[in-house]
Amino acid sequence: MNISIIDEVVEQLRAMPQHLQWQVLEFARTLVKVEVRGTPGQELLRFAGSSPPDDLQFMREVIEQDCEQVDVNEW
C-alpha cells in the first residue's frame, strides 16, 4: 500500500477531535515559518578523518562514562 504523507496526515486528522486538529494546524503553520539554519552535511565532509584517533578514543570513553550515568535526584 503506497499512501502519501499528506493522505496519512489527513487520515490521522479525521480521527482527532477538533481541538487537536487546531493544534496540528498551528504546528504545521509554525513549521512552514521555520528558517533552516546550520551547515549542510555535505560541506562538513572535508573534516572527516581530521580528528586524531587518540582524541576520538578519549571522547568515546568520556561519553560512555558520563552519559550512561543516571542521577535520580537530578530533577
Side-chain angles (χ1 to χ4, degrees):
M1 176 186 238
N2 189 6
I3 185 166
S4 76
I5 293 173
I6 292 173
D7 292 339
E8 178 68 22
V9 170
V10 170
E11 186 177 318
Q12 295 298 319
L13 282 169
R14 285 189 177 125
M16 292 179 188
Q18 191 172 30
H19 73 281
L20 292 178
Q21 291 175 6
W22 279 108
Q23 285 183 353
V24 172
L25 176 60
E26 290 303 315
F27 180 65
R29 286 178 174 160
T30 302
L31 289 176
V32 169
K33 295 176 186 177
V34 171
E35 178 185 338
V36 177
R37 295 183 298 191
T39 304
Q42 190 69 27
E43 292 181 27
L44 299 174
L45 286 176
R46 62 189 168 112
F47 297 109
S50 63
S51 295
D54 290 345
D55 288 351
L56 296 175
Q57 181 60 35
F58 176 73
M59 286 188 280
R60 182 179 293 112
E61 290 171 5
V62 170
I63 290 170
E64 287 174 357
Q65 285 177 345
D66 294 338
C67 292
E68 292 184 5
Q69 302 294 320
V70 175
D71 183 355
V72 293
N73 296 318
E74 183 178 6
W75 296 93

